[in-house]
Amino acid sequence: MAREIDLLWGPRASPRRGPKPKLSREAVVGAAVALADAEGLEAVSMQRVAKELGYTTMSLYRHVDSKEDLLTLMGEAATGNAPPEPREDGDWRAGIEDWADATTRRYRAHPWMVFVQLSGPPSGPNGLRWMEAGLRELVGAGLRSGEALEMLLLITAALRETIRMEVEMGRAAAEAGTTLPESERDYARALRAVVTPERFPTLSRMLEEGVLDQEPASPPPEGGQPGGPAEGLDFGLQRILDGIDAYVRAKDGDARGA
Amino acid sequence: MAREIDLLWGPRASPRRGPKPKLSREAVVGAAVALADAEGLEAVSMQRVAKELGYTTMSLYRHVDSKEDLLTLMGEAATGNAPPEPREDGDWRAGIEDWADATTRRYRAHPWMVFVQLSGPPSGPNGLRWMEAGLRELVGAGLRSGEALEMLLLITAALRETIRMEVEMGRAAAEAGTTLPESERDYARALRAVVTPERFPTLSRMLEEGVLDQEPASPPPEGGQPGGPAEGLDFGLQRILDGIDAYVRAKDGDARGA
DNA sequence: CCTTACTGTTTAAGTAATACACAGATTTAG
DNA sequence: CTAAATCTGTGTATTACTTAAACAGTAAGG
């Protein structure tokens, strides 16, 4: 965790002797990111990255200590250093929505990101910039630092896991030669065969109402697949924002009252 | 997704000829679960599970189609079929808290569960029982089916990813020979070296306040590690519940007003 | 009885991460 | 200006993993 900070901020002292390196860490990470973007994270093996660059497998280890480190570096690189700017109007709700939207778009642009194991909160320059941007909005909403951190981690966790599921479902659907909404309908159909009203009253009422069969009401967000678990992110985020709002109001009320 | 339902509910017609099987799917899954509980998911290889049972690697494939299927079966098995019972008092807030607590405890009892890829919402008998229990509370709170489903997926996503990070941080700490709170302080210390007030105003104020250095105020929940990202789950869940409450009240108010 | 279908085993193919020693390049000490 | 030191990318090898395919033995059906 602390060593991750060294990895991502470390000065990487340039050597004073020996042949000029033709490869570089940046080239290795860049090739790996390009490969993951094109063919998914499971295509990223040390051998494959090396082949992509026209070098031998072992040459990569001169620039990266291990595959794990490479993955961490890839994550930091794909994060980018351009989180949403502070809003002029100071509207914290819109600010957090922007942040969540931007994060979702980032994940959708590099779907493999959500499959890279996080070993803690962000550590690299880019990750921390995003964290700063999110915290700024939550503190602006009236939360204390610690509360803002906790909320931001929770929101990020929900986004990551939801997008992960979306990607996984999309992959499975593509593999089966269908679309995501279609395979969702298949899922609903298969569920109906096993979900009995006695054992699963709520669930079976839900299936009767056709919740999983409906065409999505809203058009899919740009770049996103229609349907899938991310459909519900917006509703959920709104409830979270409502909850923050209620909490901050109550706190202010207390403060005034005391 | 639909085939997962077959896998987890399928009738597994018993063969009419040939030698009596000594191994069984249950034994394979059980051994794999025990192994994962004891040594983590990365210890679960087909070879290792077979060795644990005293059979050859390939024998497992008579009872399980692939390692992926084995993992799915393990997840279903570790889920268990005993989600919280409906509360007598009908207190939906407490009901959802119970559900989230029980889920967290379940994840902490089998930390590897959160590393098993989900290919969609629950499909097996046990997974669906838990889903039913969660939906019941959310519908009881006044959400419509679709809304309840979306909220439950969001809450589950947040729990899973947060526990995943907790486990990962705990593992890293243990590997480094320290405790989680100690390595959190190391993290804060390392952050202070790179987080400048100009580039990271909010973050650096947070570090000044010592947010990551403090001993946790509340004692660690039973079975859980002290510190780590799960510390914030309670606060976050309360905000979500507040948000649901506000939403339902507003809806009811509208309905009465109309 | 003997064919059929099923069991667990053997063998082997293919992919992966990475340790280690090497040949050649380049800088620096003397 | 040479020799030692140091660094680069390469070649080779080890270990571990999933799983395909052919096989030998076992139990039931006709």
Side-chain angles (χ1 to χ4, degrees), chain A residues 115 117 122 132 145 160-161 164 187 200-203 209 239 243, chain B residues 115 117 121-122 132 145 160-161 164 187 200-203 209 239 243:
Chain A
F115 294 95
Q117 272 298 337
E132 166 72 25
S145 299
R160 268 180 71 92
E161 177 75 6
R164 182 176 0 229
Y187 171 69
F200 303 101
T202 320
L203 208 44
E209 289 174 21
R239 282 336 108 225
Chain B
F115 295 95
Q117 272 298 337
E132 165 72 25
S145 297
R160 269 180 71 92
E161 177 75 6
R164 180 173 4 226
Y187 171 69
F200 303 101
T202 320
L203 207 45
E209 290 174 20
R239 282 337 110 224

PDB file of all heavy atoms in Angstrom, chain A residues 115 117 122 132 145 160-161 164 187 200-203 209 239 243, chain B residues 115 117 121-122 132 145 160-161 164 187 200-203 209 239 243:
ATOM      1  N   PHE A 115     -11.440  -4.882 -13.389  1.00  0.00           N
ATOM      2  CA  PHE A 115     -10.967  -6.222 -13.050  1.00  0.00           C
ATOM      3  C   PHE A 115      -9.562  -6.203 -12.456  1.00  0.00           C
ATOM      4  O   PHE A 115      -9.038  -7.249 -12.079  1.00  0.00           O
ATOM      5  CB  PHE A 115     -10.999  -7.129 -14.281  1.00  0.00           C
ATOM      6  CG  PHE A 115     -12.392  -7.384 -14.782  1.00  0.00           C
ATOM      7  CD1 PHE A 115     -12.935  -6.607 -15.794  1.00  0.00           C
ATOM      8  CD2 PHE A 115     -13.169  -8.380 -14.230  1.00  0.00           C
ATOM      9  CE1 PHE A 115     -14.229  -6.830 -16.251  1.00  0.00           C
ATOM     10  CE2 PHE A 115     -14.461  -8.611 -14.679  1.00  0.00           C
ATOM     11  CZ  PHE A 115     -14.990  -7.836 -15.688  1.00  0.00           C
ATOM     12  N   GLN A 117      -7.268  -5.720  -9.528  1.00  0.00           N
ATOM     13  CA  GLN A 117      -7.375  -5.711  -8.076  1.00  0.00           C
ATOM     14  C   GLN A 117      -6.869  -4.409  -7.481  1.00  0.00           C
ATOM     15  O   GLN A 117      -5.720  -4.035  -7.712  1.00  0.00           O
ATOM     16  CB  GLN A 117      -6.529  -6.840  -7.483  1.00  0.00           C
ATOM     17  CG  GLN A 117      -7.234  -8.146  -7.361  1.00  0.00           C
ATOM     18  CD  GLN A 117      -8.423  -8.041  -6.438  1.00  0.00           C
ATOM     19  OE1 GLN A 117      -8.477  -7.156  -5.589  1.00  0.00           O
ATOM     20  NE2 GLN A 117      -9.372  -8.912  -6.617  1.00  0.00           N
ATOM     21  N   PRO A 122      -6.869   4.997  -3.782  1.00  0.00           N
ATOM     22  CA  PRO A 122      -5.930   5.422  -4.823  1.00  0.00           C
ATOM     23  C   PRO A 122      -4.593   5.862  -4.238  1.00  0.00           C
ATOM     24  O   PRO A 122      -4.542   6.391  -3.124  1.00  0.00           O
ATOM     25  CB  PRO A 122      -6.645   6.611  -5.470  1.00  0.00           C
ATOM     26  CG  PRO A 122      -8.086   6.398  -5.201  1.00  0.00           C
ATOM     27  CD  PRO A 122      -8.155   5.683  -3.886  1.00  0.00           C
ATOM     28  N   GLU A 132      -9.429  13.516  -5.077  1.00  0.00           N
ATOM     29  CA  GLU A 132      -9.538  14.918  -4.663  1.00  0.00           C
ATOM     30  C   GLU A 132     -10.815  15.545  -5.220  1.00  0.00           C
ATOM     31  O   GLU A 132     -11.568  16.212  -4.503  1.00  0.00           O
ATOM     32  CB  GLU A 132      -8.312  15.698  -5.154  1.00  0.00           C
ATOM     33  CG  GLU A 132      -8.416  17.213  -5.091  1.00  0.00           C
ATOM     34  CD  GLU A 132      -8.351  17.770  -3.665  1.00  0.00           C
ATOM     35  OE1 GLU A 132      -7.779  17.091  -2.799  1.00  0.00           O
ATOM     36  OE2 GLU A 132      -8.878  18.872  -3.430  1.00  0.00           O
ATOM     37  N   SER A 145     -14.481  15.502   6.626  1.00  0.00           N
ATOM     38  CA  SER A 145     -13.499  14.787   5.799  1.00  0.00           C
ATOM     39  C   SER A 145     -13.688  13.280   5.852  1.00  0.00           C
ATOM     40  O   SER A 145     -13.770  12.608   4.819  1.00  0.00           O
ATOM     41  CB  SER A 145     -12.085  15.099   6.265  1.00  0.00           C
ATOM     42  OG  SER A 145     -11.804  16.454   6.145  1.00  0.00           O
ATOM     43  N   ARG A 160     -17.804   0.421  -9.358  1.00  0.00           N
ATOM     44  CA  ARG A 160     -16.885  -0.600  -9.871  1.00  0.00           C
ATOM     45  C   ARG A 160     -17.559  -1.958  -9.995  1.00  0.00           C
ATOM     46  O   ARG A 160     -17.520  -2.596 -11.042  1.00  0.00           O
ATOM     47  CB  ARG A 160     -15.682  -0.742  -8.943  1.00  0.00           C
ATOM     48  CG  ARG A 160     -14.513   0.128  -9.302  1.00  0.00           C
ATOM     49  CD  ARG A 160     -13.373  -0.093  -8.311  1.00  0.00           C
ATOM     50  NE  ARG A 160     -12.726  -1.378  -8.455  1.00  0.00           N
ATOM     51  CZ  ARG A 160     -11.652  -1.594  -9.217  1.00  0.00           C
ATOM     52  NH1 ARG A 160     -11.122  -0.604  -9.903  1.00  0.00           N
ATOM     53  NH2 ARG A 160     -11.118  -2.789  -9.300  1.00  0.00           N
ATOM     54  N   GLU A 161     -18.196  -2.388  -8.925  1.00  0.00           N
ATOM     55  CA  GLU A 161     -18.775  -3.729  -8.939  1.00  0.00           C
ATOM     56  C   GLU A 161     -19.938  -3.806  -9.930  1.00  0.00           C
ATOM     57  O   GLU A 161     -20.142  -4.822 -10.587  1.00  0.00           O
ATOM     58  CB  GLU A 161     -19.226  -4.133  -7.532  1.00  0.00           C
ATOM     59  CG  GLU A 161     -19.910  -5.476  -7.438  1.00  0.00           C
ATOM     60  CD  GLU A 161     -18.977  -6.669  -7.547  1.00  0.00           C
ATOM     61  OE1 GLU A 161     -17.740  -6.487  -7.591  1.00  0.00           O
ATOM     62  OE2 GLU A 161     -19.494  -7.805  -7.601  1.00  0.00           O
ATOM     63  N   ARG A 164     -18.496  -3.923 -13.336  1.00  0.00           N
ATOM     64  CA  ARG A 164     -17.910  -5.241 -13.509  1.00  0.00           C
ATOM     65  C   ARG A 164     -18.978  -6.249 -13.934  1.00  0.00           C
ATOM     66  O   ARG A 164     -18.794  -7.041 -14.859  1.00  0.00           O
ATOM     67  CB  ARG A 164     -17.250  -5.693 -12.211  1.00  0.00           C
ATOM     68  CG  ARG A 164     -16.586  -7.038 -12.358  1.00  0.00           C
ATOM     69  CD  ARG A 164     -15.824  -7.483 -11.121  1.00  0.00           C
ATOM     70  NE  ARG A 164     -15.850  -6.562 -10.028  1.00  0.00           N
ATOM     71  CZ  ARG A 164     -14.782  -6.158  -9.346  1.00  0.00           C
ATOM     72  NH1 ARG A 164     -13.601  -6.601  -9.685  1.00  0.00           N
ATOM     73  NH2 ARG A 164     -14.903  -5.332  -8.336  1.00  0.00           N
ATOM     74  N   TYR A 187     -32.899 -14.911 -18.836  1.00  0.00           N
ATOM     75  CA  TYR A 187     -32.702 -15.087 -17.395  1.00  0.00           C
ATOM     76  C   TYR A 187     -34.050 -15.067 -16.680  1.00  0.00           C
ATOM     77  O   TYR A 187     -34.355 -15.951 -15.866  1.00  0.00           O
ATOM     78  CB  TYR A 187     -31.784 -13.982 -16.886  1.00  0.00           C
ATOM     79  CG  TYR A 187     -31.624 -13.877 -15.397  1.00  0.00           C
ATOM     80  CD1 TYR A 187     -30.961 -14.847 -14.661  1.00  0.00           C
ATOM     81  CD2 TYR A 187     -32.106 -12.762 -14.718  1.00  0.00           C
ATOM     82  CE1 TYR A 187     -30.791 -14.727 -13.294  1.00  0.00           C
ATOM     83  CE2 TYR A 187     -31.937 -12.629 -13.346  1.00  0.00           C
ATOM     84  CZ  TYR A 187     -31.286 -13.619 -12.640  1.00  0.00           C
ATOM     85  OH  TYR A 187     -31.122 -13.492 -11.291  1.00  0.00           O
ATOM     86  N   PHE A 200     -40.623 -17.898  -2.776  1.00  0.00           N
ATOM     87  CA  PHE A 200     -40.058 -16.611  -3.198  1.00  0.00           C
ATOM     88  C   PHE A 200     -41.164 -15.614  -3.525  1.00  0.00           C
ATOM     89  O   PHE A 200     -41.300 -15.201  -4.676  1.00  0.00           O
ATOM     90  CB  PHE A 200     -39.168 -16.810  -4.429  1.00  0.00           C
ATOM     91  CG  PHE A 200     -38.057 -17.794  -4.245  1.00  0.00           C
ATOM     92  CD1 PHE A 200     -38.161 -19.089  -4.740  1.00  0.00           C
ATOM     93  CD2 PHE A 200     -36.889 -17.420  -3.588  1.00  0.00           C
ATOM     94  CE1 PHE A 200     -37.106 -19.993  -4.584  1.00  0.00           C
ATOM     95  CE2 PHE A 200     -35.845 -18.325  -3.428  1.00  0.00           C
ATOM     96  CZ  PHE A 200     -35.960 -19.621  -3.925  1.00  0.00           C
ATOM     97  N   PRO A 201     -41.954 -15.242  -2.517  1.00  0.00           N
ATOM     98  CA  PRO A 201     -43.122 -14.395  -2.816  1.00  0.00           C
ATOM     99  C   PRO A 201     -42.759 -13.068  -3.487  1.00  0.00           C
ATOM    100  O   PRO A 201     -43.344 -12.715  -4.525  1.00  0.00           O
ATOM    101  CB  PRO A 201     -43.751 -14.167  -1.432  1.00  0.00           C
ATOM    102  CG  PRO A 201     -42.724 -14.566  -0.433  1.00  0.00           C
ATOM    103  CD  PRO A 201     -41.858 -15.579  -1.084  1.00  0.00           C
ATOM    104  N   THR A 202     -41.811 -12.356  -2.932  1.00  0.00           N
ATOM    105  CA  THR A 202     -41.480 -11.039  -3.468  1.00  0.00           C
ATOM    106  C   THR A 202     -40.904 -11.159  -4.877  1.00  0.00           C
ATOM    107  O   THR A 202     -41.287 -10.438  -5.797  1.00  0.00           O
ATOM    108  CB  THR A 202     -40.449 -10.338  -2.562  1.00  0.00           C
ATOM    109  OG1 THR A 202     -40.763 -10.585  -1.196  1.00  0.00           O
ATOM    110  CG2 THR A 202     -40.431  -8.849  -2.828  1.00  0.00           C
ATOM    111  N   LEU A 203     -39.986 -12.093  -5.008  1.00  0.00           N
ATOM    112  CA  LEU A 203     -39.325 -12.317  -6.284  1.00  0.00           C
ATOM    113  C   LEU A 203     -40.330 -12.709  -7.354  1.00  0.00           C
ATOM    114  O   LEU A 203     -40.273 -12.233  -8.499  1.00  0.00           O
ATOM    115  CB  LEU A 203     -38.298 -13.435  -6.086  1.00  0.00           C
ATOM    116  CG  LEU A 203     -37.053 -13.509  -6.954  1.00  0.00           C
ATOM    117  CD1 LEU A 203     -36.421 -12.149  -7.119  1.00  0.00           C
ATOM    118  CD2 LEU A 203     -36.063 -14.467  -6.297  1.00  0.00           C
ATOM    119  N   GLU A 209     -44.575  -8.934 -12.603  1.00  0.00           N
ATOM    120  CA  GLU A 209     -44.657  -7.559 -13.087  1.00  0.00           C
ATOM    121  C   GLU A 209     -43.767  -7.328 -14.305  1.00  0.00           C
ATOM    122  O   GLU A 209     -43.769  -6.240 -14.880  1.00  0.00           O
ATOM    123  CB  GLU A 209     -44.264  -6.586 -11.965  1.00  0.00           C
ATOM    124  CG  GLU A 209     -45.308  -6.510 -10.866  1.00  0.00           C
ATOM    125  CD  GLU A 209     -44.837  -5.650  -9.694  1.00  0.00           C
ATOM    126  OE1 GLU A 209     -43.924  -4.831  -9.899  1.00  0.00           O
ATOM    127  OE2 GLU A 209     -45.372  -5.827  -8.589  1.00  0.00           O
ATOM    128  N   ARG A 239     -30.716   8.217  -4.603  1.00  0.00           N
ATOM    129  CA  ARG A 239     -31.096   7.920  -3.213  1.00  0.00           C
ATOM    130  C   ARG A 239     -29.941   8.253  -2.291  1.00  0.00           C
ATOM    131  O   ARG A 239     -30.135   8.785  -1.189  1.00  0.00           O
ATOM    132  CB  ARG A 239     -31.467   6.438  -3.056  1.00  0.00           C
ATOM    133  CG  ARG A 239     -32.838   5.981  -3.522  1.00  0.00           C
ATOM    134  CD  ARG A 239     -33.874   7.049  -3.568  1.00  0.00           C
ATOM    135  NE  ARG A 239     -34.156   7.365  -4.954  1.00  0.00           N
ATOM    136  CZ  ARG A 239     -34.277   8.576  -5.452  1.00  0.00           C
ATOM    137  NH1 ARG A 239     -34.150   9.641  -4.693  1.00  0.00           N
ATOM    138  NH2 ARG A 239     -34.513   8.762  -6.725  1.00  0.00           N
ATOM    139  N   GLY A 243     -29.884  10.929   0.705  1.00  0.00           N
ATOM    140  CA  GLY A 243     -29.469  10.577   2.053  1.00  0.00           C
ATOM    141  C   GLY A 243     -28.427  11.545   2.591  1.00  0.00           C
ATOM    142  O   GLY A 243     -28.472  11.934   3.769  1.00  0.00           O
TER     143      GLY A 243
ATOM    144  N   PHE B 115     -14.219 -12.747  -4.354  1.00  0.00           N
ATOM    145  CA  PHE B 115     -13.309 -12.812  -5.502  1.00  0.00           C
ATOM    146  C   PHE B 115     -13.829 -13.722  -6.598  1.00  0.00           C
ATOM    147  O   PHE B 115     -13.197 -13.855  -7.646  1.00  0.00           O
ATOM    148  CB  PHE B 115     -11.920 -13.276  -5.054  1.00  0.00           C
ATOM    149  CG  PHE B 115     -11.246 -12.297  -4.140  1.00  0.00           C
ATOM    150  CD1 PHE B 115     -11.324 -12.437  -2.761  1.00  0.00           C
ATOM    151  CD2 PHE B 115     -10.552 -11.214  -4.654  1.00  0.00           C
ATOM    152  CE1 PHE B 115     -10.720 -11.520  -1.915  1.00  0.00           C
ATOM    153  CE2 PHE B 115      -9.943 -10.301  -3.819  1.00  0.00           C
ATOM    154  CZ  PHE B 115     -10.021 -10.445  -2.447  1.00  0.00           C
ATOM    155  N   GLN B 117     -16.015 -14.325  -9.588  1.00  0.00           N
ATOM    156  CA  GLN B 117     -16.719 -13.513 -10.575  1.00  0.00           C
ATOM    157  C   GLN B 117     -18.205 -13.822 -10.613  1.00  0.00           C
ATOM    158  O   GLN B 117     -18.591 -14.964 -10.831  1.00  0.00           O
ATOM    159  CB  GLN B 117     -16.164 -13.807 -11.968  1.00  0.00           C
ATOM    160  CG  GLN B 117     -14.995 -12.968 -12.371  1.00  0.00           C
ATOM    161  CD  GLN B 117     -15.347 -11.497 -12.418  1.00  0.00           C
ATOM    162  OE1 GLN B 117     -16.515 -11.129 -12.560  1.00  0.00           O
ATOM    163  NE2 GLN B 117     -14.355 -10.672 -12.259  1.00  0.00           N
ATOM    164  N   PRO B 121     -27.063 -11.414 -11.611  1.00  0.00           N
ATOM    165  CA  PRO B 121     -27.729 -11.506 -10.308  1.00  0.00           C
ATOM    166  C   PRO B 121     -27.767 -12.964  -9.868  1.00  0.00           C
ATOM    167  O   PRO B 121     -27.499 -13.864 -10.658  1.00  0.00           O
ATOM    168  CB  PRO B 121     -29.141 -10.989 -10.599  1.00  0.00           C
ATOM    169  CG  PRO B 121     -29.071 -10.287 -11.900  1.00  0.00           C
ATOM    170  CD  PRO B 121     -27.954 -10.920 -12.660  1.00  0.00           C
ATOM    171  N   PRO B 122     -28.092 -13.215  -8.595  1.00  0.00           N
ATOM    172  CA  PRO B 122     -28.095 -14.591  -8.095  1.00  0.00           C
ATOM    173  C   PRO B 122     -28.954 -15.520  -8.956  1.00  0.00           C
ATOM    174  O   PRO B 122     -29.953 -15.090  -9.528  1.00  0.00           O
ATOM    175  CB  PRO B 122     -28.694 -14.456  -6.696  1.00  0.00           C
ATOM    176  CG  PRO B 122     -28.431 -13.057  -6.294  1.00  0.00           C
ATOM    177  CD  PRO B 122     -28.453 -12.251  -7.553  1.00  0.00           C
ATOM    178  N   GLU B 132     -34.387 -12.775  -2.181  1.00  0.00           N
ATOM    179  CA  GLU B 132     -35.776 -12.654  -1.735  1.00  0.00           C
ATOM    180  C   GLU B 132     -35.846 -11.914  -0.395  1.00  0.00           C
ATOM    181  O   GLU B 132     -36.651 -10.998  -0.218  1.00  0.00           O
ATOM    182  CB  GLU B 132     -36.391 -14.061  -1.610  1.00  0.00           C
ATOM    183  CG  GLU B 132     -37.699 -14.149  -0.833  1.00  0.00           C
ATOM    184  CD  GLU B 132     -38.893 -13.560  -1.588  1.00  0.00           C
ATOM    185  OE1 GLU B 132     -38.837 -13.524  -2.830  1.00  0.00           O
ATOM    186  OE2 GLU B 132     -39.867 -13.131  -0.932  1.00  0.00           O
ATOM    187  N   SER B 145     -41.049  -2.886  -7.128  1.00  0.00           N
ATOM    188  CA  SER B 145     -40.180  -4.048  -7.357  1.00  0.00           C
ATOM    189  C   SER B 145     -38.882  -3.668  -8.048  1.00  0.00           C
ATOM    190  O   SER B 145     -37.793  -4.025  -7.615  1.00  0.00           O
ATOM    191  CB  SER B 145     -40.898  -5.079  -8.229  1.00  0.00           C
ATOM    192  OG  SER B 145     -42.025  -5.565  -7.596  1.00  0.00           O
ATOM    193  N   ARG B 160     -19.772  -5.977  -1.528  1.00  0.00           N
ATOM    194  CA  ARG B 160     -18.792  -6.883  -2.118  1.00  0.00           C
ATOM    195  C   ARG B 160     -17.462  -6.192  -2.358  1.00  0.00           C
ATOM    196  O   ARG B 160     -16.402  -6.674  -1.965  1.00  0.00           O
ATOM    197  CB  ARG B 160     -19.309  -7.450  -3.445  1.00  0.00           C
ATOM    198  CG  ARG B 160     -20.062  -8.754  -3.318  1.00  0.00           C
ATOM    199  CD  ARG B 160     -20.529  -9.220  -4.692  1.00  0.00           C
ATOM    200  NE  ARG B 160     -19.459  -9.676  -5.544  1.00  0.00           N
ATOM    201  CZ  ARG B 160     -19.062 -10.938  -5.624  1.00  0.00           C
ATOM    202  NH1 ARG B 160     -19.640 -11.867  -4.910  1.00  0.00           N
ATOM    203  NH2 ARG B 160     -18.069 -11.279  -6.434  1.00  0.00           N
ATOM    204  N   GLU B 161     -17.516  -5.064  -3.037  1.00  0.00           N
ATOM    205  CA  GLU B 161     -16.265  -4.395  -3.396  1.00  0.00           C
ATOM    206  C   GLU B 161     -15.549  -3.871  -2.158  1.00  0.00           C
ATOM    207  O   GLU B 161     -14.325  -3.884  -2.099  1.00  0.00           O
ATOM    208  CB  GLU B 161     -16.554  -3.266  -4.396  1.00  0.00           C
ATOM    209  CG  GLU B 161     -15.342  -2.456  -4.792  1.00  0.00           C
ATOM    210  CD  GLU B 161     -14.402  -3.162  -5.762  1.00  0.00           C
ATOM    211  OE1 GLU B 161     -14.738  -4.272  -6.236  1.00  0.00           O
ATOM    212  OE2 GLU B 161     -13.322  -2.606  -6.030  1.00  0.00           O
ATOM    213  N   ARG B 164     -13.993  -6.782  -0.483  1.00  0.00           N
ATOM    214  CA  ARG B 164     -12.861  -7.204  -1.297  1.00  0.00           C
ATOM    215  C   ARG B 164     -11.625  -6.363  -0.970  1.00  0.00           C
ATOM    216  O   ARG B 164     -10.531  -6.877  -0.781  1.00  0.00           O
ATOM    217  CB  ARG B 164     -13.209  -7.075  -2.784  1.00  0.00           C
ATOM    218  CG  ARG B 164     -12.078  -7.508  -3.659  1.00  0.00           C
ATOM    219  CD  ARG B 164     -12.427  -7.553  -5.137  1.00  0.00           C
ATOM    220  NE  ARG B 164     -13.758  -7.093  -5.451  1.00  0.00           N
ATOM    221  CZ  ARG B 164     -14.593  -7.709  -6.259  1.00  0.00           C
ATOM    222  NH1 ARG B 164     -14.225  -8.833  -6.822  1.00  0.00           N
ATOM    223  NH2 ARG B 164     -15.766  -7.211  -6.515  1.00  0.00           N
ATOM    224  N   TYR B 187       0.321   4.264   5.104  1.00  0.00           N
ATOM    225  CA  TYR B 187      -0.259   4.831   3.884  1.00  0.00           C
ATOM    226  C   TYR B 187      -0.426   6.335   4.042  1.00  0.00           C
ATOM    227  O   TYR B 187      -0.016   7.121   3.170  1.00  0.00           O
ATOM    228  CB  TYR B 187      -1.598   4.149   3.627  1.00  0.00           C
ATOM    229  CG  TYR B 187      -2.443   4.736   2.526  1.00  0.00           C
ATOM    230  CD1 TYR B 187      -2.064   4.641   1.191  1.00  0.00           C
ATOM    231  CD2 TYR B 187      -3.654   5.373   2.821  1.00  0.00           C
ATOM    232  CE1 TYR B 187      -2.859   5.168   0.188  1.00  0.00           C
ATOM    233  CE2 TYR B 187      -4.450   5.896   1.831  1.00  0.00           C
ATOM    234  CZ  TYR B 187      -4.055   5.788   0.514  1.00  0.00           C
ATOM    235  OH  TYR B 187      -4.848   6.308  -0.480  1.00  0.00           O
ATOM    236  N   PHE B 200      -3.787  19.252  -4.117  1.00  0.00           N
ATOM    237  CA  PHE B 200      -4.775  18.395  -3.451  1.00  0.00           C
ATOM    238  C   PHE B 200      -5.303  19.057  -2.187  1.00  0.00           C
ATOM    239  O   PHE B 200      -5.103  18.530  -1.089  1.00  0.00           O
ATOM    240  CB  PHE B 200      -4.142  17.047  -3.097  1.00  0.00           C
ATOM    241  CG  PHE B 200      -3.553  16.304  -4.260  1.00  0.00           C
ATOM    242  CD1 PHE B 200      -2.184  16.322  -4.496  1.00  0.00           C
ATOM    243  CD2 PHE B 200      -4.359  15.582  -5.136  1.00  0.00           C
ATOM    244  CE1 PHE B 200      -1.634  15.616  -5.566  1.00  0.00           C
ATOM    245  CE2 PHE B 200      -3.811  14.882  -6.201  1.00  0.00           C
ATOM    246  CZ  PHE B 200      -2.442  14.897  -6.426  1.00  0.00           C
ATOM    247  N   PRO B 201      -5.988  20.178  -2.314  1.00  0.00           N
ATOM    248  CA  PRO B 201      -6.407  20.916  -1.111  1.00  0.00           C
ATOM    249  C   PRO B 201      -7.272  20.097  -0.158  1.00  0.00           C
ATOM    250  O   PRO B 201      -6.987  20.031   1.047  1.00  0.00           O
ATOM    251  CB  PRO B 201      -7.168  22.112  -1.683  1.00  0.00           C
ATOM    252  CG  PRO B 201      -7.471  21.783  -3.100  1.00  0.00           C
ATOM    253  CD  PRO B 201      -6.413  20.845  -3.547  1.00  0.00           C
ATOM    254  N   THR B 202      -8.301  19.453  -0.691  1.00  0.00           N
ATOM    255  CA  THR B 202      -9.213  18.716   0.188  1.00  0.00           C
ATOM    256  C   THR B 202      -8.507  17.545   0.855  1.00  0.00           C
ATOM    257  O   THR B 202      -8.619  17.326   2.066  1.00  0.00           O
ATOM    258  CB  THR B 202     -10.416  18.192  -0.617  1.00  0.00           C
ATOM    259  OG1 THR B 202     -10.826  19.185  -1.551  1.00  0.00           O
ATOM    260  CG2 THR B 202     -11.563  17.850   0.293  1.00  0.00           C
ATOM    261  N   LEU B 203      -7.797  16.834   0.041  1.00  0.00           N
ATOM    262  CA  LEU B 203      -7.079  15.657   0.525  1.00  0.00           C
ATOM    263  C   LEU B 203      -6.061  16.050   1.588  1.00  0.00           C
ATOM    264  O   LEU B 203      -5.921  15.371   2.616  1.00  0.00           O
ATOM    265  CB  LEU B 203      -6.364  15.026  -0.676  1.00  0.00           C
ATOM    266  CG  LEU B 203      -6.052  13.549  -0.687  1.00  0.00           C
ATOM    267  CD1 LEU B 203      -7.249  12.755  -0.212  1.00  0.00           C
ATOM    268  CD2 LEU B 203      -5.695  13.141  -2.110  1.00  0.00           C
ATOM    269  N   GLU B 209      -6.089  16.573   9.300  1.00  0.00           N
ATOM    270  CA  GLU B 209      -7.024  16.223  10.375  1.00  0.00           C
ATOM    271  C   GLU B 209      -6.761  14.831  10.936  1.00  0.00           C
ATOM    272  O   GLU B 209      -7.409  14.405  11.883  1.00  0.00           O
ATOM    273  CB  GLU B 209      -8.473  16.327   9.868  1.00  0.00           C
ATOM    274  CG  GLU B 209      -8.908  17.762   9.612  1.00  0.00           C
ATOM    275  CD  GLU B 209     -10.285  17.830   8.973  1.00  0.00           C
ATOM    276  OE1 GLU B 209     -11.033  16.833   9.071  1.00  0.00           O
ATOM    277  OE2 GLU B 209     -10.601  18.872   8.353  1.00  0.00           O
ATOM    278  N   ARG B 239     -26.813   6.450   5.268  1.00  0.00           N
ATOM    279  CA  ARG B 239     -27.188   7.499   4.291  1.00  0.00           C
ATOM    280  C   ARG B 239     -28.103   6.920   3.223  1.00  0.00           C
ATOM    281  O   ARG B 239     -29.063   7.559   2.799  1.00  0.00           O
ATOM    282  CB  ARG B 239     -25.937   8.094   3.623  1.00  0.00           C
ATOM    283  CG  ARG B 239     -25.112   9.106   4.406  1.00  0.00           C
ATOM    284  CD  ARG B 239     -25.863   9.799   5.493  1.00  0.00           C
ATOM    285  NE  ARG B 239     -25.385   9.348   6.775  1.00  0.00           N
ATOM    286  CZ  ARG B 239     -26.149   9.037   7.810  1.00  0.00           C
ATOM    287  NH1 ARG B 239     -27.454   9.163   7.754  1.00  0.00           N
ATOM    288  NH2 ARG B 239     -25.616   8.597   8.924  1.00  0.00           N
ATOM    289  N   GLY B 243     -31.869   8.006   2.400  1.00  0.00           N
ATOM    290  CA  GLY B 243     -32.301   8.371   1.054  1.00  0.00           C
ATOM    291  C   GLY B 243     -33.546   7.613   0.638  1.00  0.00           C
ATOM    292  O   GLY B 243     -34.461   8.185   0.011  1.00  0.00           O
TER     293      GLY B 243
END
